[in-house]
């Protein structure tokens, strides 16, 4: 991902597909991404109703800098196929899709084939939430140049792994997805924190995800957005340090130098440039 393509993807707020009345409020909640969910958030008998309510929300350019996307049903299901047909028939398809339960690169290639023509500009944000997805995550991450980010789905992943849904038990799975996202220059968002009564737990898990290499975290309620944005935004101190390091390397030809008493090698520049690119987009 080049510096010009780097953008903040700190927070993603889900909106149930059957509640289009919440969409405008979600766009004003401060999240970098707003995702209308017609998969997990909608019971099977109401899928067609949800499609009819959700797709019109993406007409026009509402949202400004906020990324807007639709979470669709897996392509391996009848509802997923109906989602694709509805997208192909839609006059104004969503700018991006969240692809659920992806297990192989072949599924991404199939989306590429089906979402052509008026849908060719749709970007992908891929959920890794199964043992197949985890095993094939490197191939999935590089399967299409339309992929912008991955999202780690801890709930389904823990069930598939027969593991408890805790940070410690899922650390290996998270780490595999971090590796794939970083290797392929993709952003990576962590699963939502589901306990709305535990904001301290949200902040703690967000900090752990950021330390591990995630670039953001999803949310199920607008009240969670400020804490998530705070964790995944570069601090003024980090921005200033990045500026000093970048400036120092402009004057240095040895490949390493000392800044603030710390030995800095040239590969660190990638992180510094990312910090500055996000700070610039946030106006910091």
């Amino acid at each position: 991902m080049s510096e010009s393509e780097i953008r903040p993807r700190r927070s993603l707020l889900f909106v149930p597909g059957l509640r289009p009345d919440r969409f405008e409020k979600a766009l004003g909640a401060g999240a970098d991404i707003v995702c209308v969910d017609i998969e997990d958030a909608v019971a099977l008998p109401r899928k067609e109703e949800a499609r009819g309510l959700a797709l019109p929300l993406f007409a026009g350019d509402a949202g400004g800098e906020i990324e807007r996307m639709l979470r669709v049903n897996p392509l391996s299901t009848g509802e997923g196929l109906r989602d694709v047909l509805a997208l192909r028939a839609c006059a104004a398809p969503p700018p991006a899709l969240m692809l659920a339960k992806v297990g192989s690169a072949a599924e991404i290639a199939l989306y590429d084939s089906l979402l052509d023509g008026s849908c060719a500009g749709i970007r992908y944000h891929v959920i890794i939430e199964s043992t197949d997805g985890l095993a094939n995550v490197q191939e999935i991450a590089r399967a299409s140049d339309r992929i912008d980010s991955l999202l780690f789905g801890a709930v389904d992943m823990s069930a598939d792994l027969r593991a408890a849904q805790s940070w410690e038990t899922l650390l290996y799975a998270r780490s595999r997805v971090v590796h794939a996202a970083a290797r392929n220059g993709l952003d990576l968002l962590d699963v939502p924190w589901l306990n709305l009564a535990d904001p301290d737990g949200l902040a703690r898990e967000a900090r752990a995800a950021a330390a591990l290499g995630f670039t953001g975290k999803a949310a199920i309620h607008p009240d969670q957005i400020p804490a998530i944005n705070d964790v995944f935004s570069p601090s003024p101190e980090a921005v200033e340090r990045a500026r000093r390091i970048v400036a120092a390397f402009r004057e240095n030809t040895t490949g390493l130098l000392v800044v603030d008493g710390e030995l800095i090698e040239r590969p660190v520049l990638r992180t510094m440039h990312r910090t500055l690119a996000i700070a610039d987009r946030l106006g910091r």
Side-chain angles (χ1 to χ4, degrees), residues 9-14 33-35 37 39-40 69 71 97-102 124-130 133-134 137 140-141 147-157 173-174 176-178 180-181 186-194 214-220:
R9 290 192 174 103
R10 304 164 297 172
S11 53
L12 181 152
L13 180 59
F14 283 108
I33 308 168
V34 172
C35 179
D37 185 0
E39 191 226 358
D40 274 357
M69 66 180 67
R71 177 174 175 171
L97 297 178
M98 181 174 286
L99 307 180
K101 298 177 176 63
V102 173
Y124 304 152
H125 300 257
V126 180
I127 312 178
I128 304 299
E129 53 185 336
S130 68
L134 190 63
V137 65
I140 291 169
I147 299 175
D148 287 330
S149 77
L150 305 180
L151 189 144
F152 181 73
V155 177
D156 284 23
M157 183 68 76
R174 275 188 168 94
R176 275 187 64 92
V177 182
V178 166
L186 304 176
D187 284 314
L188 173 60
L189 287 89
D190 195 29
V191 66
W193 179 256
L194 301 180
F214 284 76
T215 59
K217 189 169 180 64
I220 58 171

Short mmCIF file of all heavy atoms in Angstrom, two decimals, residues 9-14 33-35 37 39-40 69 71 97-102 124-130 133-134 137 140-141 147-157 173-174 176-178 180-181 186-194 214-220:
data_model
loop_
_atom_site.label_atom_id
_atom_site.label_comp_id
_atom_site.label_asym_id
_atom_site.label_seq_id
_atom_site.Cartn_x
_atom_site.Cartn_y
_atom_site.Cartn_z
N ARG A 9 -8.39 3.58 8.97
CA ARG A 9 -9.44 2.57 9.14
C ARG A 9 -9.37 2.10 10.59
O ARG A 9 -9.14 0.94 10.88
CB ARG A 9 -9.25 1.41 8.15
CG ARG A 9 -9.52 1.81 6.69
CD ARG A 9 -9.60 0.61 5.75
NE ARG A 9 -9.99 1.03 4.40
CZ ARG A 9 -9.12 1.15 3.39
NH1 ARG A 9 -7.84 0.85 3.57
NH2 ARG A 9 -9.53 1.55 2.21
N ARG A 10 -9.59 3.05 11.48
CA ARG A 10 -9.46 2.79 12.91
C ARG A 10 -10.72 2.10 13.46
O ARG A 10 -10.63 1.25 14.34
CB ARG A 10 -9.26 4.10 13.67
CG ARG A 10 -8.07 4.93 13.21
CD ARG A 10 -8.17 6.35 13.73
NE ARG A 10 -9.37 7.01 13.18
CZ ARG A 10 -9.82 8.19 13.56
NH1 ARG A 10 -9.19 8.85 14.53
NH2 ARG A 10 -10.91 8.72 13.00
N SER A 11 -11.86 2.50 12.95
CA SER A 11 -13.13 2.05 13.53
C SER A 11 -14.13 1.75 12.44
O SER A 11 -14.20 2.44 11.42
CB SER A 11 -13.68 3.12 14.47
OG SER A 11 -13.76 4.38 13.80
N LEU A 12 -14.91 0.71 12.67
CA LEU A 12 -15.98 0.30 11.76
C LEU A 12 -17.23 0.07 12.59
O LEU A 12 -17.21 -0.68 13.57
CB LEU A 12 -15.59 -0.98 11.03
CG LEU A 12 -16.58 -1.55 10.02
CD1 LEU A 12 -15.84 -2.33 8.93
CD2 LEU A 12 -17.61 -2.48 10.67
N LEU A 13 -18.33 0.73 12.22
CA LEU A 13 -19.58 0.62 12.96
C LEU A 13 -20.60 -0.16 12.12
O LEU A 13 -20.88 0.19 10.97
CB LEU A 13 -20.13 2.01 13.28
CG LEU A 13 -21.45 2.07 14.04
CD1 LEU A 13 -21.35 1.36 15.38
CD2 LEU A 13 -21.88 3.53 14.24
N PHE A 14 -21.13 -1.23 12.71
CA PHE A 14 -22.15 -2.03 12.03
C PHE A 14 -23.54 -1.43 12.24
O PHE A 14 -23.87 -0.95 13.33
CB PHE A 14 -22.15 -3.46 12.58
CG PHE A 14 -21.03 -4.32 12.06
CD1 PHE A 14 -19.97 -4.67 12.89
CD2 PHE A 14 -21.04 -4.78 10.76
CE1 PHE A 14 -18.94 -5.47 12.41
CE2 PHE A 14 -20.01 -5.58 10.27
CZ PHE A 14 -18.97 -5.92 11.10
N ILE A 33 -15.51 3.81 9.04
CA ILE A 33 -16.26 2.94 8.14
C ILE A 33 -17.62 2.66 8.76
O ILE A 33 -17.73 2.42 9.96
CB ILE A 33 -15.54 1.58 7.92
CG1 ILE A 33 -14.08 1.79 7.48
CG2 ILE A 33 -16.28 0.73 6.91
CD1 ILE A 33 -13.24 0.52 7.53
N VAL A 34 -18.66 2.69 7.92
CA VAL A 34 -20.00 2.28 8.35
C VAL A 34 -20.43 1.12 7.45
O VAL A 34 -20.40 1.23 6.22
CB VAL A 34 -21.02 3.43 8.26
CG1 VAL A 34 -22.44 2.92 8.51
CG2 VAL A 34 -20.66 4.52 9.27
N CYS A 35 -20.80 0.00 8.08
CA CYS A 35 -21.14 -1.21 7.35
C CYS A 35 -22.57 -1.62 7.66
O CYS A 35 -22.91 -1.87 8.82
CB CYS A 35 -20.18 -2.34 7.72
SG CYS A 35 -20.54 -3.91 6.91
N ASP A 37 -25.25 -4.39 7.65
CA ASP A 37 -25.12 -5.84 7.75
C ASP A 37 -26.41 -6.54 7.38
O ASP A 37 -27.42 -6.41 8.08
CB ASP A 37 -24.71 -6.20 9.19
CG ASP A 37 -24.42 -7.68 9.37
OD1 ASP A 37 -24.53 -8.44 8.39
OD2 ASP A 37 -24.09 -8.07 10.50
N GLU A 39 -26.08 -9.89 6.72
CA GLU A 39 -25.73 -11.29 6.96
C GLU A 39 -26.10 -11.68 8.39
O GLU A 39 -27.23 -12.05 8.68
CB GLU A 39 -24.24 -11.54 6.70
CG GLU A 39 -23.90 -13.03 6.67
CD GLU A 39 -22.67 -13.41 7.47
OE1 GLU A 39 -22.01 -12.53 8.04
OE2 GLU A 39 -22.39 -14.61 7.53
N ASP A 40 -25.16 -11.57 9.33
CA ASP A 40 -25.41 -12.01 10.70
C ASP A 40 -26.56 -11.26 11.37
O ASP A 40 -27.23 -11.81 12.26
CB ASP A 40 -24.15 -11.84 11.55
CG ASP A 40 -23.23 -13.05 11.45
OD1 ASP A 40 -23.60 -14.03 10.78
OD2 ASP A 40 -22.13 -13.01 12.03
N MET A 69 -20.07 0.49 3.32
CA MET A 69 -20.04 -0.84 2.73
C MET A 69 -21.24 -1.66 3.16
O MET A 69 -21.94 -1.32 4.12
CB MET A 69 -18.74 -1.57 3.08
CG MET A 69 -18.57 -1.91 4.53
SD MET A 69 -17.00 -2.77 4.87
CE MET A 69 -15.82 -1.46 4.52
N ARG A 71 -22.35 -5.63 4.17
CA ARG A 71 -21.91 -6.99 4.52
C ARG A 71 -22.90 -7.98 3.91
O ARG A 71 -24.08 -7.99 4.27
CB ARG A 71 -21.85 -7.16 6.04
CG ARG A 71 -21.48 -8.57 6.49
CD ARG A 71 -21.30 -8.59 7.99
NE ARG A 71 -21.07 -9.92 8.53
CZ ARG A 71 -20.70 -10.17 9.78
NH1 ARG A 71 -20.54 -9.15 10.62
NH2 ARG A 71 -20.52 -11.40 10.20
N LEU A 97 -17.88 -3.95 -0.27
CA LEU A 97 -18.57 -5.07 0.35
C LEU A 97 -17.72 -5.68 1.43
O LEU A 97 -16.49 -5.76 1.30
CB LEU A 97 -18.87 -6.17 -0.68
CG LEU A 97 -19.78 -5.85 -1.86
CD1 LEU A 97 -19.89 -7.07 -2.78
CD2 LEU A 97 -21.16 -5.42 -1.39
N MET A 98 -18.37 -6.12 2.51
CA MET A 98 -17.71 -6.97 3.48
C MET A 98 -18.10 -8.40 3.15
O MET A 98 -19.28 -8.75 3.13
CB MET A 98 -18.13 -6.62 4.91
CG MET A 98 -17.43 -7.48 5.96
SD MET A 98 -17.81 -6.97 7.66
CE MET A 98 -16.83 -5.47 7.75
N LEU A 99 -17.10 -9.22 2.85
CA LEU A 99 -17.32 -10.58 2.39
C LEU A 99 -17.17 -11.53 3.57
O LEU A 99 -16.10 -11.66 4.16
CB LEU A 99 -16.32 -10.94 1.29
CG LEU A 99 -16.25 -9.97 0.10
CD1 LEU A 99 -15.22 -10.44 -0.91
CD2 LEU A 99 -17.62 -9.80 -0.54
N ALA A 100 -18.26 -12.24 3.89
CA ALA A 100 -18.30 -13.08 5.08
C ALA A 100 -17.85 -14.51 4.79
O ALA A 100 -18.05 -15.03 3.69
CB ALA A 100 -19.72 -13.10 5.66
N LYS A 101 -17.22 -15.11 5.81
CA LYS A 101 -16.89 -16.55 5.81
C LYS A 101 -16.12 -16.99 4.56
O LYS A 101 -16.33 -18.07 4.03
CB LYS A 101 -18.16 -17.38 5.98
CG LYS A 101 -18.86 -17.11 7.32
CD LYS A 101 -20.15 -17.89 7.46
CE LYS A 101 -20.76 -17.66 8.85
NZ LYS A 101 -21.14 -16.25 9.11
N VAL A 102 -15.22 -16.16 4.11
CA VAL A 102 -14.38 -16.53 2.97
C VAL A 102 -13.38 -17.59 3.41
O VAL A 102 -12.67 -17.43 4.41
CB VAL A 102 -13.65 -15.30 2.41
CG1 VAL A 102 -12.64 -15.70 1.35
CG2 VAL A 102 -14.65 -14.30 1.85
N TYR A 124 -13.32 -4.69 -1.65
CA TYR A 124 -13.61 -5.80 -0.76
C TYR A 124 -12.94 -5.61 0.61
O TYR A 124 -11.80 -5.16 0.71
CB TYR A 124 -13.08 -7.12 -1.33
CG TYR A 124 -13.55 -7.50 -2.70
CD1 TYR A 124 -12.74 -8.29 -3.51
CD2 TYR A 124 -14.79 -7.11 -3.19
CE1 TYR A 124 -13.15 -8.68 -4.79
CE2 TYR A 124 -15.21 -7.49 -4.46
CZ TYR A 124 -14.39 -8.26 -5.26
OH TYR A 124 -14.80 -8.64 -6.51
N HIS A 125 -13.68 -6.02 1.64
CA HIS A 125 -13.15 -6.12 3.00
C HIS A 125 -13.52 -7.51 3.47
O HIS A 125 -14.71 -7.83 3.61
CB HIS A 125 -13.73 -5.02 3.88
CG HIS A 125 -13.41 -3.64 3.37
ND1 HIS A 125 -12.43 -2.85 3.94
CD2 HIS A 125 -13.90 -2.94 2.33
CE1 HIS A 125 -12.35 -1.71 3.27
NE2 HIS A 125 -13.24 -1.74 2.29
N VAL A 126 -12.54 -8.35 3.70
CA VAL A 126 -12.75 -9.80 3.82
C VAL A 126 -12.66 -10.25 5.27
O VAL A 126 -11.67 -9.98 5.96
CB VAL A 126 -11.70 -10.56 2.98
CG1 VAL A 126 -11.92 -12.05 3.10
CG2 VAL A 126 -11.78 -10.11 1.51
N ILE A 127 -13.70 -10.97 5.73
CA ILE A 127 -13.69 -11.50 7.09
C ILE A 127 -13.01 -12.87 7.09
O ILE A 127 -13.38 -13.76 6.32
CB ILE A 127 -15.10 -11.65 7.67
CG1 ILE A 127 -15.93 -10.38 7.45
CG2 ILE A 127 -15.01 -11.97 9.16
CD1 ILE A 127 -17.35 -10.50 7.97
N ILE A 128 -12.04 -13.03 7.98
CA ILE A 128 -11.40 -14.33 8.21
C ILE A 128 -11.99 -14.87 9.51
O ILE A 128 -11.69 -14.37 10.59
CB ILE A 128 -9.87 -14.19 8.30
CG1 ILE A 128 -9.31 -13.51 7.03
CG2 ILE A 128 -9.23 -15.56 8.53
CD1 ILE A 128 -9.56 -14.27 5.74
N GLU A 129 -12.84 -15.89 9.39
CA GLU A 129 -13.59 -16.35 10.57
C GLU A 129 -13.81 -17.86 10.59
O GLU A 129 -14.72 -18.34 11.28
CB GLU A 129 -14.94 -15.62 10.64
CG GLU A 129 -15.77 -15.70 9.37
CD GLU A 129 -17.04 -14.87 9.44
OE1 GLU A 129 -17.53 -14.60 10.56
OE2 GLU A 129 -17.55 -14.50 8.37
N SER A 130 -13.01 -18.60 9.84
CA SER A 130 -13.15 -20.05 9.81
C SER A 130 -11.77 -20.69 9.76
O SER A 130 -10.77 -20.03 9.45
CB SER A 130 -13.95 -20.49 8.58
OG SER A 130 -13.21 -20.23 7.39
N GLY A 133 -10.49 -20.35 6.26
CA GLY A 133 -9.99 -19.00 6.01
C GLY A 133 -8.64 -18.78 6.66
O GLY A 133 -7.75 -18.14 6.08
N LEU A 134 -8.47 -19.31 7.87
CA LEU A 134 -7.21 -19.15 8.58
C LEU A 134 -6.09 -19.91 7.88
O LEU A 134 -4.97 -19.40 7.73
CB LEU A 134 -7.37 -19.65 10.02
CG LEU A 134 -6.23 -19.34 10.98
CD1 LEU A 134 -6.06 -17.84 11.17
CD2 LEU A 134 -6.48 -20.02 12.33
N VAL A 137 -5.23 -17.92 4.59
CA VAL A 137 -5.30 -16.47 4.69
C VAL A 137 -4.27 -15.76 3.81
O VAL A 137 -4.55 -14.68 3.26
CB VAL A 137 -5.20 -16.02 6.17
CG1 VAL A 137 -3.84 -16.36 6.76
CG2 VAL A 137 -5.52 -14.55 6.31
N ILE A 140 -5.70 -15.80 0.31
CA ILE A 140 -6.88 -14.93 0.26
C ILE A 140 -6.46 -13.47 0.21
O ILE A 140 -6.99 -12.68 -0.59
CB ILE A 140 -7.78 -15.19 1.49
CG1 ILE A 140 -8.43 -16.57 1.39
CG2 ILE A 140 -8.85 -14.11 1.62
CD1 ILE A 140 -9.12 -17.02 2.67
N ALA A 141 -5.49 -13.09 1.03
CA ALA A 141 -5.09 -11.69 1.13
C ALA A 141 -4.53 -11.14 -0.17
O ALA A 141 -4.62 -9.93 -0.43
CB ALA A 141 -4.06 -11.53 2.25
N ILE A 147 -9.10 -5.92 -2.80
CA ILE A 147 -9.15 -6.08 -1.34
C ILE A 147 -8.43 -4.92 -0.65
O ILE A 147 -7.28 -4.62 -0.96
CB ILE A 147 -8.52 -7.41 -0.90
CG1 ILE A 147 -9.26 -8.60 -1.52
CG2 ILE A 147 -8.53 -7.53 0.62
CD1 ILE A 147 -8.62 -9.94 -1.23
N ASP A 148 -9.12 -4.26 0.27
CA ASP A 148 -8.53 -3.17 1.04
C ASP A 148 -8.20 -3.55 2.47
O ASP A 148 -7.29 -2.97 3.08
CB ASP A 148 -9.48 -1.96 1.08
CG ASP A 148 -9.54 -1.23 -0.25
OD1 ASP A 148 -8.53 -1.24 -0.98
OD2 ASP A 148 -10.60 -0.66 -0.57
N SER A 149 -8.94 -4.49 3.03
CA SER A 149 -8.68 -4.85 4.43
C SER A 149 -9.20 -6.25 4.72
O SER A 149 -10.00 -6.81 3.97
CB SER A 149 -9.35 -3.85 5.39
OG SER A 149 -10.74 -4.09 5.49
N LEU A 150 -8.70 -6.80 5.82
CA LEU A 150 -9.22 -8.02 6.40
C LEU A 150 -9.87 -7.67 7.74
O LEU A 150 -9.56 -6.64 8.34
CB LEU A 150 -8.10 -9.04 6.64
CG LEU A 150 -7.22 -9.43 5.45
CD1 LEU A 150 -6.17 -10.44 5.89
CD2 LEU A 150 -8.04 -9.97 4.30
N LEU A 151 -10.78 -8.54 8.18
CA LEU A 151 -11.39 -8.39 9.50
C LEU A 151 -11.35 -9.74 10.19
O LEU A 151 -11.72 -10.75 9.58
CB LEU A 151 -12.82 -7.87 9.39
CG LEU A 151 -13.48 -7.47 10.72
CD1 LEU A 151 -14.39 -6.25 10.52
CD2 LEU A 151 -14.30 -8.61 11.32
N PHE A 152 -10.88 -9.75 11.43
CA PHE A 152 -10.80 -11.00 12.18
C PHE A 152 -12.12 -11.26 12.89
O PHE A 152 -12.55 -10.45 13.73
CB PHE A 152 -9.66 -10.95 13.19
CG PHE A 152 -9.49 -12.22 13.98
CD1 PHE A 152 -8.96 -13.35 13.39
CD2 PHE A 152 -9.88 -12.29 15.30
CE1 PHE A 152 -8.81 -14.53 14.10
CE2 PHE A 152 -9.73 -13.46 16.04
CZ PHE A 152 -9.21 -14.59 15.42
N GLY A 153 -12.77 -12.39 12.57
CA GLY A 153 -14.05 -12.75 13.18
C GLY A 153 -13.87 -13.76 14.29
O GLY A 153 -13.82 -14.97 14.04
N ALA A 154 -13.77 -13.28 15.52
CA ALA A 154 -13.42 -14.16 16.65
C ALA A 154 -14.55 -15.10 17.05
O ALA A 154 -14.28 -16.21 17.52
CB ALA A 154 -13.02 -13.31 17.85
N VAL A 155 -15.80 -14.68 16.87
CA VAL A 155 -16.91 -15.50 17.35
C VAL A 155 -17.00 -16.80 16.56
O VAL A 155 -16.96 -17.91 17.12
CB VAL A 155 -18.24 -14.72 17.27
CG1 VAL A 155 -19.40 -15.61 17.70
CG2 VAL A 155 -18.18 -13.46 18.14
N ASP A 156 -17.09 -16.69 15.24
CA ASP A 156 -17.15 -17.90 14.41
C ASP A 156 -15.82 -18.66 14.46
O ASP A 156 -15.81 -19.90 14.43
CB ASP A 156 -17.48 -17.52 12.97
CG ASP A 156 -18.95 -17.18 12.79
OD1 ASP A 156 -19.59 -16.82 13.79
OD2 ASP A 156 -19.45 -17.27 11.66
N MET A 157 -14.71 -17.93 14.53
CA MET A 157 -13.41 -18.59 14.55
C MET A 157 -13.25 -19.46 15.79
O MET A 157 -12.79 -20.61 15.70
CB MET A 157 -12.28 -17.55 14.51
CG MET A 157 -10.88 -18.16 14.47
SD MET A 157 -10.54 -19.00 12.90
CE MET A 157 -10.27 -17.56 11.84
N ALA A 173 -4.39 -17.45 16.06
CA ALA A 173 -5.22 -17.15 14.90
C ALA A 173 -5.10 -15.68 14.52
O ALA A 173 -4.93 -15.34 13.34
CB ALA A 173 -6.68 -17.51 15.19
N ARG A 174 -5.16 -14.81 15.52
CA ARG A 174 -5.01 -13.38 15.23
C ARG A 174 -3.65 -13.10 14.59
O ARG A 174 -3.54 -12.31 13.63
CB ARG A 174 -5.16 -12.56 16.51
CG ARG A 174 -6.60 -12.23 16.90
CD ARG A 174 -6.60 -11.26 18.08
NE ARG A 174 -7.93 -10.69 18.30
CZ ARG A 174 -8.81 -11.19 19.15
NH1 ARG A 174 -8.51 -12.29 19.85
NH2 ARG A 174 -10.00 -10.61 19.32
N ARG A 176 -1.72 -15.03 12.79
CA ARG A 176 -1.66 -15.46 11.38
C ARG A 176 -2.30 -14.42 10.46
O ARG A 176 -1.79 -14.13 9.36
CB ARG A 176 -2.37 -16.80 11.21
CG ARG A 176 -1.54 -18.02 11.48
CD ARG A 176 -2.28 -19.29 11.12
NE ARG A 176 -2.55 -19.39 9.70
CZ ARG A 176 -1.76 -20.00 8.81
NH1 ARG A 176 -0.62 -20.55 9.22
NH2 ARG A 176 -2.10 -20.07 7.54
N VAL A 177 -3.40 -13.85 10.91
CA VAL A 177 -4.10 -12.86 10.08
C VAL A 177 -3.31 -11.55 10.04
O VAL A 177 -3.24 -10.88 8.99
CB VAL A 177 -5.54 -12.65 10.58
CG1 VAL A 177 -6.28 -11.66 9.69
CG2 VAL A 177 -6.30 -13.98 10.60
N VAL A 178 -2.70 -11.17 11.16
CA VAL A 178 -1.82 -10.00 11.16
C VAL A 178 -0.70 -10.16 10.14
O VAL A 178 -0.39 -9.23 9.37
CB VAL A 178 -1.22 -9.77 12.58
CG1 VAL A 178 -0.06 -8.78 12.52
CG2 VAL A 178 -2.30 -9.26 13.53
N ALA A 180 -0.60 -12.02 7.41
CA ALA A 180 -1.11 -11.95 6.03
C ALA A 180 -1.44 -10.53 5.63
O ALA A 180 -1.12 -10.09 4.51
CB ALA A 180 -2.34 -12.84 5.89
N ALA A 181 -2.08 -9.78 6.53
CA ALA A 181 -2.44 -8.40 6.20
C ALA A 181 -1.20 -7.54 5.99
O ALA A 181 -1.10 -6.78 5.02
CB ALA A 181 -3.32 -7.83 7.30
N LEU A 186 -2.37 -4.69 3.60
CA LEU A 186 -3.79 -4.48 3.84
C LEU A 186 -4.03 -3.98 5.26
O LEU A 186 -3.28 -4.31 6.18
CB LEU A 186 -4.57 -5.78 3.65
CG LEU A 186 -4.42 -6.49 2.30
CD1 LEU A 186 -5.18 -7.81 2.32
CD2 LEU A 186 -4.91 -5.61 1.17
N ASP A 187 -5.08 -3.22 5.44
CA ASP A 187 -5.50 -2.88 6.79
C ASP A 187 -6.16 -4.10 7.43
O ASP A 187 -6.59 -5.03 6.74
CB ASP A 187 -6.48 -1.70 6.77
CG ASP A 187 -5.76 -0.38 6.51
OD1 ASP A 187 -4.73 -0.14 7.15
OD2 ASP A 187 -6.24 0.40 5.67
N LEU A 188 -6.24 -4.07 8.76
CA LEU A 188 -6.78 -5.22 9.49
C LEU A 188 -7.55 -4.74 10.71
O LEU A 188 -7.00 -4.03 11.56
CB LEU A 188 -5.63 -6.15 9.93
CG LEU A 188 -6.00 -7.31 10.83
CD1 LEU A 188 -7.01 -8.24 10.16
CD2 LEU A 188 -4.75 -8.09 11.22
N LEU A 189 -8.82 -5.12 10.78
CA LEU A 189 -9.68 -4.72 11.89
C LEU A 189 -10.03 -5.92 12.75
O LEU A 189 -10.23 -7.03 12.23
CB LEU A 189 -10.96 -4.06 11.37
CG LEU A 189 -10.77 -2.65 10.82
CD1 LEU A 189 -10.44 -2.70 9.33
CD2 LEU A 189 -12.01 -1.80 11.04
N ASP A 190 -10.11 -5.68 14.05
CA ASP A 190 -10.43 -6.73 15.00
C ASP A 190 -11.94 -6.82 15.20
O ASP A 190 -12.69 -5.89 14.89
CB ASP A 190 -9.73 -6.45 16.33
CG ASP A 190 -9.71 -7.64 17.26
OD1 ASP A 190 -9.71 -8.78 16.76
OD2 ASP A 190 -9.69 -7.44 18.48
N VAL A 191 -12.37 -7.93 15.75
CA VAL A 191 -13.77 -8.22 16.01
C VAL A 191 -14.36 -7.19 16.98
O VAL A 191 -13.66 -6.62 17.82
CB VAL A 191 -13.89 -9.65 16.61
CG1 VAL A 191 -13.21 -9.70 17.97
CG2 VAL A 191 -15.32 -10.11 16.70
N PRO A 192 -15.67 -6.90 16.90
CA PRO A 192 -16.28 -5.99 17.88
C PRO A 192 -16.21 -6.53 19.30
O PRO A 192 -16.24 -7.75 19.52
CB PRO A 192 -17.74 -5.89 17.42
CG PRO A 192 -17.75 -6.30 15.99
CD PRO A 192 -16.63 -7.31 15.86
N TRP A 193 -16.13 -5.62 20.25
CA TRP A 193 -16.28 -5.97 21.67
C TRP A 193 -17.78 -5.97 21.96
O TRP A 193 -18.46 -4.97 21.79
CB TRP A 193 -15.56 -4.93 22.53
CG TRP A 193 -15.64 -5.17 24.00
CD1 TRP A 193 -16.43 -4.51 24.90
CD2 TRP A 193 -14.88 -6.12 24.76
NE1 TRP A 193 -16.20 -4.99 26.16
CE2 TRP A 193 -15.27 -5.98 26.11
CE3 TRP A 193 -13.91 -7.07 24.43
CZ2 TRP A 193 -14.73 -6.76 27.13
CZ3 TRP A 193 -13.37 -7.85 25.45
CH2 TRP A 193 -13.77 -7.70 26.77
N LEU A 194 -18.30 -7.11 22.38
CA LEU A 194 -19.75 -7.31 22.44
C LEU A 194 -20.39 -6.90 23.76
O LEU A 194 -21.62 -6.79 23.84
CB LEU A 194 -20.08 -8.79 22.14
CG LEU A 194 -19.61 -9.30 20.78
CD1 LEU A 194 -19.98 -10.77 20.61
CD2 LEU A 194 -20.19 -8.47 19.64
N PHE A 214 -2.90 -4.88 14.48
CA PHE A 214 -4.17 -4.47 13.88
C PHE A 214 -4.18 -2.96 13.66
O PHE A 214 -3.55 -2.21 14.41
CB PHE A 214 -5.34 -4.86 14.79
CG PHE A 214 -5.70 -6.33 14.75
CD1 PHE A 214 -4.91 -7.26 15.41
CD2 PHE A 214 -6.82 -6.78 14.08
CE1 PHE A 214 -5.23 -8.61 15.40
CE2 PHE A 214 -7.15 -8.12 14.05
CZ PHE A 214 -6.35 -9.05 14.70
N THR A 215 -4.91 -2.52 12.63
CA THR A 215 -4.99 -1.09 12.35
C THR A 215 -6.30 -0.48 12.82
O THR A 215 -6.48 0.73 12.74
CB THR A 215 -4.85 -0.83 10.84
OG1 THR A 215 -5.89 -1.53 10.14
CG2 THR A 215 -3.49 -1.31 10.34
N GLY A 216 -7.24 -1.31 13.30
CA GLY A 216 -8.52 -0.80 13.78
C GLY A 216 -9.34 -1.90 14.43
O GLY A 216 -8.90 -3.05 14.54
N LYS A 217 -10.56 -1.52 14.83
CA LYS A 217 -11.45 -2.47 15.49
C LYS A 217 -12.89 -2.12 15.14
O LYS A 217 -13.24 -0.93 15.04
CB LYS A 217 -11.25 -2.41 17.02
CG LYS A 217 -11.98 -3.52 17.79
CD LYS A 217 -11.51 -3.53 19.24
CE LYS A 217 -12.22 -4.62 20.04
NZ LYS A 217 -11.89 -5.99 19.55
N ALA A 218 -13.72 -3.13 14.97
CA ALA A 218 -15.13 -2.93 14.66
C ALA A 218 -15.91 -2.63 15.94
O ALA A 218 -15.44 -2.88 17.05
CB ALA A 218 -15.69 -4.15 13.95
N ALA A 219 -17.13 -2.11 15.76
CA ALA A 219 -17.98 -1.74 16.89
C ALA A 219 -19.43 -2.06 16.56
O ALA A 219 -19.83 -2.09 15.39
CB ALA A 219 -17.83 -0.25 17.20
N ILE A 220 -20.21 -2.26 17.62
CA ILE A 220 -21.64 -2.52 17.44
C ILE A 220 -22.50 -1.38 17.97
O ILE A 220 -23.72 -1.45 17.85
CB ILE A 220 -22.06 -3.85 18.11
CG1 ILE A 220 -21.72 -3.82 19.60
CG2 ILE A 220 -21.40 -5.03 17.40
CD1 ILE A 220 -22.28 -5.00 20.38
#
